[in-house]
Amino acid sequence: MAEHAQYQNEIYLQGLADHVPPFTTDATRLESVAESRMEPGPFGYVAGGAGSGDTARANREAFARWRIVPRVLTDATTRDLSTTVLGTALPAPVLLAPIGVQSIVHPDGEVATARAAAALDVPIVLSTASSYPLEDVAAAGGPRWFQLYWPNDPEVCASLLRRAEAAGYTALVVTLDTWTLAWRPRDLDQAYLPFLRASGVANAFTDPAFRAGLEKSPEDDQPMAILRWVSLFTGTDKRWDQLAFLREHWDGPIALKGIQHVDDARRAADEGMDAVIVSNHGGRQVDGALAALDALPEIAQAVGDRLEVLFDSGIRTGADVLKALALGAKAVLLGRPYVYGLALAGEAGVRHAVRSLLADLDLTLGLSGYRTPAELTPDALRRV
Ligand SMILES: Cc1cc2nc3c(=O)[nH]c(=O)nc-3n(C[C@H](O)[C@H](O)[C@H](O)COP(=O)(O)O)c2cc1C
Ligand SMILES: O=C(O)C(=O)c1ccccc1
Protein backbone atom coordinates (compact mmCIF):
# COMPACT_ATOMS: atom_id res chain seq x y z
CA MET A 1 0.00 0.00 0.00
CA ALA A 2 1.29 3.41 -0.96
CA GLU A 3 -2.08 5.01 -1.25
CA HIS A 4 -1.18 8.64 -0.61
CA ALA A 5 1.39 8.61 -3.39
CA GLN A 6 -1.43 7.79 -5.82
CA TYR A 7 -2.18 11.49 -5.99
CA GLN A 8 0.99 11.85 -8.05
CA ASN A 9 -0.30 9.40 -10.69
CA GLU A 10 -3.70 11.03 -10.61
CA ILE A 11 -2.25 14.49 -11.35
CA TYR A 12 -0.09 13.25 -14.25
CA LEU A 13 -2.98 11.27 -15.74
CA GLN A 14 -5.26 14.30 -15.60
CA GLY A 15 -2.57 16.16 -17.49
CA LEU A 16 -3.39 13.94 -20.46
CA ALA A 17 -6.83 15.58 -20.44
CA ASP A 18 -5.24 19.03 -20.11
CA HIS A 19 -6.12 19.39 -16.44
CA VAL A 20 -3.63 20.85 -14.01
CA PRO A 21 -4.00 21.12 -10.21
CA PRO A 22 -6.01 24.11 -8.88
CA PHE A 23 -2.82 25.73 -7.51
CA THR A 24 0.78 24.85 -6.81
CA THR A 25 1.71 21.50 -5.24
CA ASP A 26 4.65 23.26 -3.53
CA ALA A 27 3.44 24.49 -0.14
CA THR A 28 6.55 26.64 0.30
CA ARG A 29 5.24 28.78 -2.59
CA LEU A 30 1.62 28.85 -1.46
CA GLU A 31 2.00 31.98 0.62
CA SER A 32 3.04 34.16 -2.31
CA VAL A 33 0.36 32.63 -4.54
CA ALA A 34 -2.26 33.31 -1.86
CA GLU A 35 -1.02 36.86 -1.33
CA SER A 36 -1.81 37.80 -4.92
CA ARG A 37 -5.37 36.48 -4.61
CA MET A 38 -6.44 37.35 -1.05
CA GLU A 39 -7.67 40.57 0.56
CA PRO A 40 -4.79 42.28 2.41
CA GLY A 41 -6.48 42.15 5.84
CA PRO A 42 -7.18 38.41 5.94
CA PHE A 43 -3.91 37.57 4.18
CA GLY A 44 -1.90 39.57 6.71
CA TYR A 45 -3.79 37.92 9.55
CA VAL A 46 -3.01 34.40 8.32
CA ALA A 47 0.56 34.97 7.14
CA GLY A 48 1.65 37.26 9.93
CA GLY A 49 3.78 36.46 12.91
CA ALA A 50 4.73 38.11 16.17
CA GLY A 51 6.97 41.17 16.03
CA SER A 52 9.65 41.03 13.38
CA GLY A 53 8.53 37.64 12.08
CA ASP A 54 11.75 36.19 13.42
CA THR A 55 10.13 33.16 15.10
CA ALA A 56 8.22 32.11 12.00
CA ARG A 57 11.47 32.35 9.99
CA ALA A 58 13.35 30.39 12.65
CA ASN A 59 10.73 27.63 12.40
CA ARG A 60 11.56 27.16 8.72
CA GLU A 61 15.32 27.50 9.16
CA ALA A 62 15.34 24.80 11.83
CA PHE A 63 14.02 22.27 9.31
CA ALA A 64 16.79 23.15 6.85
CA ARG A 65 19.49 22.34 9.41
CA TRP A 66 18.34 18.73 9.65
CA ARG A 67 19.06 16.64 6.54
CA ILE A 68 17.57 13.26 5.67
CA VAL A 69 20.14 10.50 5.08
CA PRO A 70 18.37 8.05 2.74
CA ARG A 71 18.88 4.30 2.94
CA VAL A 72 18.89 1.95 -0.08
CA LEU A 73 17.99 -1.68 -0.75
CA THR A 74 15.31 -1.62 1.92
CA ASP A 75 11.77 -2.89 1.40
CA ALA A 76 9.88 0.37 0.94
CA THR A 77 7.88 -0.17 -2.25
CA THR A 78 4.70 -0.60 -0.26
CA ARG A 79 4.21 1.64 2.71
CA ASP A 80 1.75 2.05 5.54
CA LEU A 81 1.50 5.54 7.00
CA SER A 82 -1.44 4.84 9.28
CA THR A 83 -1.16 5.38 13.01
CA THR A 84 -3.30 6.00 16.09
CA VAL A 85 -3.07 9.16 18.18
CA LEU A 86 -5.11 9.77 21.34
CA GLY A 87 -7.36 6.92 20.32
CA THR A 88 -8.04 8.34 16.85
CA ALA A 89 -7.07 6.25 13.82
CA LEU A 90 -5.17 8.38 11.28
CA PRO A 91 -4.48 7.50 7.62
CA ALA A 92 -1.15 9.30 8.06
CA PRO A 93 0.50 11.07 11.02
CA VAL A 94 -1.04 14.42 10.06
CA LEU A 95 -3.93 16.43 11.49
CA LEU A 96 -5.26 19.88 10.60
CA ALA A 97 -4.19 22.42 13.21
CA PRO A 98 -6.81 24.52 14.96
CA ILE A 99 -7.15 27.76 13.04
CA GLY A 100 -9.81 30.25 14.03
CA VAL A 101 -11.92 32.65 11.97
CA GLN A 102 -11.65 30.76 8.68
CA SER A 103 -14.60 32.64 7.18
CA ILE A 104 -12.29 35.63 6.69
CA VAL A 105 -10.58 33.70 3.88
CA HIS A 106 -13.60 31.84 2.44
CA PRO A 107 -17.33 32.12 3.19
CA ASP A 108 -17.64 28.36 3.87
CA GLY A 109 -14.83 28.55 6.44
CA GLU A 110 -14.42 25.60 8.78
CA VAL A 111 -17.35 23.74 7.21
CA ALA A 112 -15.44 23.45 3.91
CA THR A 113 -12.27 22.47 5.76
CA ALA A 114 -14.12 19.81 7.74
CA ARG A 115 -15.69 18.36 4.59
CA ALA A 116 -12.35 18.15 2.80
CA ALA A 117 -10.72 16.53 5.83
CA ALA A 118 -13.61 14.09 6.33
CA ALA A 119 -13.31 12.89 2.74
CA LEU A 120 -9.68 11.98 3.48
CA ASP A 121 -10.37 10.71 7.01
CA VAL A 122 -7.83 13.25 8.29
CA PRO A 123 -8.83 14.68 11.70
CA ILE A 124 -9.54 18.34 12.17
CA VAL A 125 -8.91 20.21 15.41
CA LEU A 126 -11.70 22.77 15.56
CA SER A 127 -10.81 26.12 17.13
CA THR A 128 -12.85 27.66 19.94
CA ALA A 129 -12.71 30.74 17.71
CA SER A 130 -14.29 29.05 14.68
CA SER A 131 -16.56 31.07 12.41
CA TYR A 132 -19.23 28.35 12.50
CA PRO A 133 -20.75 26.71 15.59
CA LEU A 134 -19.01 23.46 16.49
CA GLU A 135 -22.24 21.51 15.88
CA ASP A 136 -22.41 22.74 12.24
CA VAL A 137 -18.80 21.73 11.64
CA ALA A 138 -19.38 18.31 13.23
CA ALA A 139 -22.06 17.65 10.61
CA ALA A 140 -19.27 17.11 8.06
CA GLY A 141 -18.86 13.78 9.81
CA GLY A 142 -15.10 13.24 9.89
CA PRO A 143 -12.80 12.52 12.83
CA ARG A 144 -12.62 15.63 15.02
CA TRP A 145 -10.94 17.07 18.09
CA PHE A 146 -11.85 20.32 19.83
CA GLN A 147 -9.36 23.07 20.67
CA LEU A 148 -10.11 25.04 23.82
CA TYR A 149 -9.27 28.62 24.48
CA TRP A 150 -9.88 28.24 28.18
CA PRO A 151 -12.51 30.82 29.13
CA ASN A 152 -12.28 32.63 32.46
CA ASP A 153 -15.89 31.76 33.25
CA PRO A 154 -16.13 28.11 34.43
CA GLU A 155 -19.79 27.87 33.41
CA VAL A 156 -18.93 28.83 29.83
CA CYS A 157 -16.00 26.43 29.88
CA ALA A 158 -18.12 23.52 31.08
CA SER A 159 -20.81 24.36 28.56
CA LEU A 160 -18.40 24.42 25.61
CA LEU A 161 -16.92 21.09 26.69
CA ARG A 162 -20.38 19.56 27.07
CA ARG A 163 -21.35 20.71 23.59
CA ALA A 164 -18.11 19.47 22.03
CA GLU A 165 -18.49 16.06 23.64
CA ALA A 166 -22.14 15.83 22.56
CA ALA A 167 -21.15 16.74 19.00
CA GLY A 168 -18.65 13.89 18.80
CA TYR A 169 -15.31 15.66 19.31
CA THR A 170 -13.15 12.91 20.80
CA ALA A 171 -10.05 14.68 22.16
CA LEU A 172 -9.44 18.08 23.73
CA VAL A 173 -6.54 20.36 22.79
CA VAL A 174 -5.96 23.10 25.35
CA THR A 175 -3.96 26.00 23.91
CA LEU A 176 -1.82 27.71 26.54
CA ASP A 177 0.39 30.10 24.57
CA THR A 178 -2.27 32.60 23.49
CA TRP A 179 -3.90 34.12 26.58
CA THR A 180 -3.52 37.42 24.77
CA LEU A 181 -2.53 38.21 21.18
CA ALA A 182 1.09 39.16 20.58
CA TRP A 183 2.32 42.40 19.02
CA ARG A 184 1.50 41.66 15.38
CA PRO A 185 2.66 44.52 13.17
CA ARG A 186 0.99 43.17 10.05
CA ASP A 187 -2.43 43.35 11.70
CA LEU A 188 -1.65 46.54 13.61
CA ASP A 189 -0.51 48.37 10.47
CA GLN A 190 -3.88 47.61 8.86
CA ALA A 191 -5.77 48.00 12.15
CA TYR A 192 -7.31 44.62 11.32
CA LEU A 193 -8.72 42.34 14.02
CA PRO A 194 -11.43 39.88 12.89
CA PHE A 195 -13.11 39.47 16.28
CA LEU A 196 -14.07 43.12 16.48
CA ARG A 197 -16.09 42.46 13.33
CA ALA A 198 -17.76 39.48 15.04
CA SER A 199 -15.81 36.82 13.11
CA GLY A 200 -14.74 33.81 15.16
CA VAL A 201 -17.26 34.28 17.92
CA ALA A 202 -19.86 31.70 16.75
CA ASN A 203 -19.25 29.15 19.51
CA ALA A 204 -19.65 31.75 22.22
CA PHE A 205 -22.60 33.58 20.67
CA THR A 206 -24.53 30.30 20.38
CA ASP A 207 -23.60 29.17 23.87
CA PRO A 208 -26.34 29.23 26.53
CA ALA A 209 -23.88 29.91 29.39
CA PHE A 210 -22.23 32.74 27.44
CA ARG A 211 -25.60 34.26 26.58
CA ALA A 212 -26.78 33.93 30.18
CA GLY A 213 -24.02 36.34 31.22
CA LEU A 214 -25.31 39.09 28.91
CA GLU A 215 -28.07 41.57 29.60
CA LYS A 216 -29.02 41.75 25.93
CA SER A 217 -28.51 38.98 23.38
CA PRO A 218 -25.54 39.22 20.96
CA GLU A 219 -28.11 39.90 18.21
CA ASP A 220 -29.41 42.95 20.11
CA ASP A 221 -26.12 44.30 21.42
CA GLN A 222 -23.18 43.02 19.42
CA PRO A 223 -20.50 45.35 20.83
CA MET A 224 -21.28 44.30 24.40
CA ALA A 225 -21.20 40.62 23.44
CA ILE A 226 -17.82 41.08 21.75
CA LEU A 227 -16.52 42.84 24.84
CA ARG A 228 -17.56 39.87 26.98
CA TRP A 229 -15.92 37.52 24.47
CA VAL A 230 -12.61 39.38 24.65
CA SER A 231 -12.60 39.49 28.44
CA LEU A 232 -13.45 35.77 28.65
CA PHE A 233 -10.48 34.71 26.57
CA THR A 234 -7.84 37.16 27.82
CA GLY A 235 -5.66 36.82 30.89
CA THR A 236 -3.62 34.47 33.00
CA ASP A 237 -5.78 33.34 35.86
CA LYS A 238 -5.07 29.66 35.01
CA ARG A 239 -2.57 27.48 36.86
CA TRP A 240 -1.46 23.87 36.59
CA ASP A 241 -3.75 22.70 39.37
CA GLN A 242 -6.80 23.92 37.43
CA LEU A 243 -6.28 21.21 34.82
CA ALA A 244 -8.32 19.10 37.24
CA PHE A 245 -11.36 21.18 36.26
CA LEU A 246 -10.92 20.17 32.63
CA ARG A 247 -10.57 16.51 33.63
CA GLU A 248 -13.83 16.74 35.56
CA HIS A 249 -15.66 18.17 32.58
CA TRP A 250 -14.08 16.21 29.74
CA ASP A 251 -14.09 12.42 29.49
CA GLY A 252 -11.69 11.96 26.56
CA PRO A 253 -7.94 12.48 26.22
CA ILE A 254 -6.43 15.95 26.76
CA ALA A 255 -3.44 17.51 24.97
CA LEU A 256 -1.66 20.72 26.02
CA LYS A 257 -0.70 22.88 23.04
CA GLY A 258 2.06 25.46 22.96
CA ILE A 259 4.71 23.60 24.94
CA GLN A 260 8.32 24.68 24.31
CA HIS A 261 10.15 24.10 27.61
CA VAL A 262 11.06 20.59 28.70
CA ASP A 263 10.02 21.32 32.30
CA ASP A 264 6.51 22.26 31.12
CA ALA A 265 6.37 18.98 29.19
CA ARG A 266 7.41 17.10 32.33
CA ARG A 267 4.79 18.94 34.35
CA ALA A 268 2.14 18.01 31.77
CA ALA A 269 3.12 14.36 32.22
CA ASP A 270 3.08 14.72 36.01
CA GLU A 271 -0.42 16.18 35.81
CA GLY A 272 -1.57 13.12 33.87
CA MET A 273 -2.08 14.84 30.54
CA ASP A 274 -2.34 12.51 27.53
CA ALA A 275 -0.29 14.55 25.08
CA VAL A 276 1.66 17.73 24.51
CA ILE A 277 1.82 19.63 21.26
CA VAL A 278 5.28 21.13 20.87
CA SER A 279 4.48 24.40 19.12
CA ASN A 280 5.21 28.11 19.10
CA HIS A 281 1.88 28.87 17.45
CA GLY A 282 3.47 29.20 14.02
CA GLY A 283 5.65 32.04 15.30
CA ARG A 284 2.59 34.19 16.05
CA GLN A 285 3.10 34.70 19.78
CA VAL A 286 6.65 35.17 21.09
CA ASP A 287 9.01 37.08 18.82
CA GLY A 288 12.51 35.69 19.10
CA ALA A 289 11.35 32.33 20.40
CA LEU A 290 13.09 29.00 19.96
CA ALA A 291 12.15 27.28 16.71
CA ALA A 292 9.56 24.67 17.59
CA LEU A 293 11.60 21.95 15.88
CA ASP A 294 14.57 22.79 18.11
CA ALA A 295 12.40 22.24 21.19
CA LEU A 296 11.18 18.86 19.97
CA PRO A 297 14.07 16.36 20.50
CA GLU A 298 14.64 17.17 24.16
CA ILE A 299 10.93 17.07 24.96
CA ALA A 300 10.37 13.81 23.07
CA GLN A 301 13.29 12.26 24.91
CA ALA A 302 12.13 13.47 28.32
CA VAL A 303 8.44 12.54 28.16
CA GLY A 304 7.91 10.47 25.01
CA ASP A 305 7.35 7.35 27.07
CA ARG A 306 4.80 9.03 29.37
CA LEU A 307 2.52 10.81 26.93
CA GLU A 308 2.10 11.35 23.20
CA VAL A 309 4.24 14.09 21.69
CA LEU A 310 2.75 15.99 18.76
CA PHE A 311 4.30 18.86 16.83
CA ASP A 312 3.41 21.91 14.77
CA SER A 313 4.91 25.19 13.52
CA GLY A 314 6.57 25.39 10.13
CA ILE A 315 5.44 22.12 8.54
CA ARG A 316 5.21 22.67 4.78
CA THR A 317 6.56 19.56 3.00
CA GLY A 318 6.68 15.80 3.33
CA ALA A 319 10.33 16.09 4.31
CA ASP A 320 9.36 18.42 7.16
CA VAL A 321 6.90 15.82 8.47
CA LEU A 322 9.52 13.08 8.18
CA LYS A 323 12.02 15.17 10.14
CA ALA A 324 9.56 15.95 12.95
CA LEU A 325 8.62 12.26 13.22
CA ALA A 326 12.29 11.22 13.28
CA LEU A 327 12.91 13.72 16.09
CA GLY A 328 10.20 12.15 18.22
CA ALA A 329 6.77 13.44 17.19
CA LYS A 330 3.99 10.86 16.90
CA ALA A 331 2.13 13.09 14.45
CA VAL A 332 2.17 16.67 13.21
CA LEU A 333 -0.41 19.39 12.70
CA LEU A 334 -0.55 21.32 9.47
CA GLY A 335 -1.30 25.04 9.82
CA ARG A 336 -1.26 27.82 7.25
CA PRO A 337 -0.95 25.73 4.05
CA TYR A 338 -4.47 24.32 4.29
CA VAL A 339 -5.87 27.77 5.03
CA TYR A 340 -4.26 29.08 1.84
CA GLY A 341 -5.86 26.11 0.08
CA LEU A 342 -9.21 27.16 1.53
CA ALA A 343 -8.66 30.76 0.43
CA LEU A 344 -7.70 29.75 -3.11
CA ALA A 345 -10.26 27.05 -3.86
CA GLY A 346 -12.56 26.35 -0.89
CA GLU A 347 -13.19 22.72 0.02
CA ALA A 348 -11.37 21.46 -3.10
CA GLY A 349 -8.43 23.67 -2.19
CA VAL A 350 -8.09 22.20 1.30
CA ARG A 351 -8.31 18.75 -0.23
CA HIS A 352 -5.59 19.55 -2.75
CA ALA A 353 -3.28 21.06 -0.12
CA VAL A 354 -3.67 18.08 2.21
CA ARG A 355 -3.42 15.42 -0.50
CA SER A 356 -0.27 17.11 -1.81
CA LEU A 357 1.37 16.98 1.60
CA LEU A 358 0.39 13.34 2.18
CA ALA A 359 1.64 12.25 -1.26
CA ASP A 360 4.90 14.11 -0.77
CA LEU A 361 5.32 12.51 2.66
CA ASP A 362 4.54 9.03 1.35
CA LEU A 363 7.08 9.35 -1.48
CA THR A 364 9.77 10.98 0.67
CA LEU A 365 9.41 8.26 3.30
CA GLY A 366 9.72 5.50 0.72
CA LEU A 367 12.60 7.09 -1.15
CA SER A 368 14.43 7.53 2.15
CA GLY A 369 14.12 3.77 2.65
CA TYR A 370 11.33 3.52 5.23
CA ARG A 371 8.02 1.64 5.17
CA THR A 372 6.30 3.12 8.21
CA PRO A 373 6.57 6.23 10.38
CA ALA A 374 7.40 4.00 13.37
CA GLU A 375 10.72 3.04 11.75
CA LEU A 376 11.94 6.63 11.91
CA THR A 377 14.50 7.56 14.56
CA PRO A 378 17.00 10.44 14.80
CA ASP A 379 19.34 8.09 12.92
CA ALA A 380 17.40 8.93 9.74
CA LEU A 381 18.74 12.49 9.99
CA ARG A 382 21.97 14.39 10.29
CA ARG A 383 22.25 17.92 11.67
CA VAL A 384 24.45 20.15 9.55
C1 LIG B 1 -4.69 32.40 11.09
C2 LIG B 1 -4.32 31.48 12.23
C3 LIG B 1 -5.23 31.28 13.26
C4 LIG B 1 -4.91 30.42 14.30
N1 LIG B 1 -5.86 30.17 15.26
C5 LIG B 1 -5.59 29.29 16.24
C6 LIG B 1 -6.58 28.95 17.18
O1 LIG B 1 -7.71 29.41 17.11
N2 LIG B 1 -6.25 28.08 18.16
C7 LIG B 1 -5.00 27.52 18.26
O2 LIG B 1 -4.75 26.73 19.16
N3 LIG B 1 -4.05 27.81 17.35
C8 LIG B 1 -4.32 28.67 16.34
N4 LIG B 1 -3.35 28.94 15.41
C9 LIG B 1 -2.06 28.23 15.49
C10 LIG B 1 -2.09 26.90 14.74
O3 LIG B 1 -2.90 25.96 15.40
C11 LIG B 1 -0.71 26.28 14.58
O4 LIG B 1 -0.09 26.21 15.85
C12 LIG B 1 0.20 27.04 13.63
O5 LIG B 1 -0.51 27.58 12.55
C13 LIG B 1 1.28 26.09 13.13
O6 LIG B 1 2.22 26.76 12.38
P1 LIG B 1 2.24 26.78 10.75
O7 LIG B 1 1.13 27.67 10.33
O8 LIG B 1 3.58 27.31 10.47
O9 LIG B 1 2.07 25.35 10.25
C14 LIG B 1 -3.65 29.78 14.35
C15 LIG B 1 -2.74 30.00 13.32
C16 LIG B 1 -3.06 30.82 12.26
C17 LIG B 1 -2.08 30.97 11.12
O1 LIG C 1 -4.60 34.31 15.65
C1 LIG C 1 -4.19 33.37 16.30
O2 LIG C 1 -3.03 32.94 16.22
C2 LIG C 1 -5.06 32.69 17.20
O3 LIG C 1 -4.65 31.72 17.76
C3 LIG C 1 -6.43 33.10 17.48
C4 LIG C 1 -6.73 33.61 18.73
C5 LIG C 1 -8.03 33.96 19.02
C6 LIG C 1 -9.01 33.78 18.09
C7 LIG C 1 -8.69 33.26 16.83
C8 LIG C 1 -7.41 32.91 16.53
Side-chain angles (χ1 to χ4, degrees):
M1 210 175 32
E3 49 175 311
H4 304 295
Q6 288 302 332
Y7 194 39
Q8 184 192 42
N9 300 335
E10 199 177 306
I11 289 174
Y12 286 134
L13 281 173
Q14 286 183 349
L16 299 177
D18 285 336
H19 286 297
V20 294
F23 51 83
T24 180
T25 54
D26 176 358
T28 65
R29 285 181 43 224
L30 255 185
E31 186 158 299
S32 64
V33 174
E35 182 166 20
S36 65
R37 310 252 295 266
M38 289 172 71
E39 295 293 325
F43 174 76
Y45 187 74
V46 174
S52 63
D54 178 55
T55 305
R57 266 190 306 279
N59 283 339
R60 293 296 303 144
E61 287 163 8
F63 282 99
R65 282 193 296 271
W66 287 100
R67 314 300 304 179
I68 299 167
V69 189
R71 304 302 304 269
V72 298
L73 298 175
T74 68
D75 174 15
T77 315
T78 62
R79 297 171 297 281
D80 181 359
L81 269 61
S82 65
T83 185
T84 298
V85 181
L86 296 183
T88 303
L90 276 59
V94 175
L95 304 92
L96 301 194
I99 294 205
V101 292
Q102 292 181 26
S103 62
I104 65 172
V105 312
H106 190 283
D108 298 339
E110 295 83 4
V111 171
T113 296
R115 286 185 181 142
L120 301 171
D121 227 15
V122 168
I124 58 160
V125 186
L126 185 72
S127 169
T128 292
S130 58
S131 342
Y132 286 88
L134 61 92
E135 290 84 0
D136 296 8
V137 179
R144 51 194 179 275
W145 297 359
F146 184 67
Q147 177 265 331
L148 184 71
Y149 275 130
W150 195 343
N152 297 322
D153 180 335
E155 302 281 328
V156 174
C157 185
S159 177
L160 284 174
L161 296 182
R162 223 171 11 248
R163 287 171 60 196
E165 224 158 55
Y169 293 79
T170 61
L172 185 68
V173 168
V174 185
T175 301
L176 298 174
D177 58 12
T178 309
W179 48 267
T180 195
L181 290 182
W183 185 252
R184 296 180 177 174
R186 261 208 165 121
D187 299 335
L188 292 162
D189 290 352
Q190 303 190 72
Y192 180 82
L193 189 65
F195 322 107
L196 296 188
R197 304 161 190 223
S199 300
V201 295
N203 286 322
F205 282 20
T206 55
D207 192 90
F210 178 85
R211 298 174 70 98
L214 293 169
E215 262 173 42
K216 287 188 197 160
S217 75
E219 295 75 35
D220 291 333
D221 188 350
Q222 192 185 81
M224 195 48 105
I226 291 173
L227 212 63
R228 173 157 157 77
W229 187 90
V230 172
S231 77
L232 264 187
F233 295 104
T234 306
T236 58
D237 71 341
K238 313 297 183 321
R239 295 295 179 270
W240 287 97
D241 58 10
Q242 283 159 269
L243 291 170
F245 178 89
L246 299 181
R247 271 288 177 227
E248 266 169 50
H249 291 85
W250 180 263
D251 286 335
I254 303 180
L256 300 187
K257 177 170 182 279
I259 301 297
Q260 288 272 85
H261 197 294
V262 68
D263 288 347
D264 285 342
R266 287 202 183 95
R267 183 70 191 261
D270 294 344
E271 298 292 339
M273 294 294 105
D274 302 285
V276 290
I277 304 178
V278 176
S279 165
N280 59 26
H281 213 92
R284 297 165 70 79
Q285 287 298 95
V286 177
D287 190 24
L290 182 66
L293 193 72
D294 288 332
L296 177 61
E298 188 185 7
I299 289 176
Q301 213 158 34
V303 299
D305 55 347
R306 298 172 70 197
L307 42 66
E308 299 197 296
V309 177
L310 309 183
F311 174 86
D312 77 32
S313 296
I315 295 280
R316 299 291 176 270
T317 68
D320 298 337
V321 181
L322 191 157
K323 290 173 188 179
L325 298 176
L327 294 176
K330 184 95 189 280
V332 304
L333 290 79
L334 180 68
R336 293 179 184 88
Y338 84 81
V339 179
Y340 294 134
L342 178 65
L344 292 168
E347 179 183 337
V350 174
R351 197 174 142 80
H352 173 60
V354 176
R355 289 191 81 192
S356 295
L357 177 71
L358 296 186
D360 181 14
L361 170 61
D362 194 0
L363 290 165
T364 303
L365 186 78
L367 288 168
S368 301
Y370 300 94
R371 268 195 73 252
T372 67
E375 292 170 358
L376 292 167
T377 68
D379 195 48
L381 309 180
R382 182 171 306 169
R383 196 180 163 92
V384 297

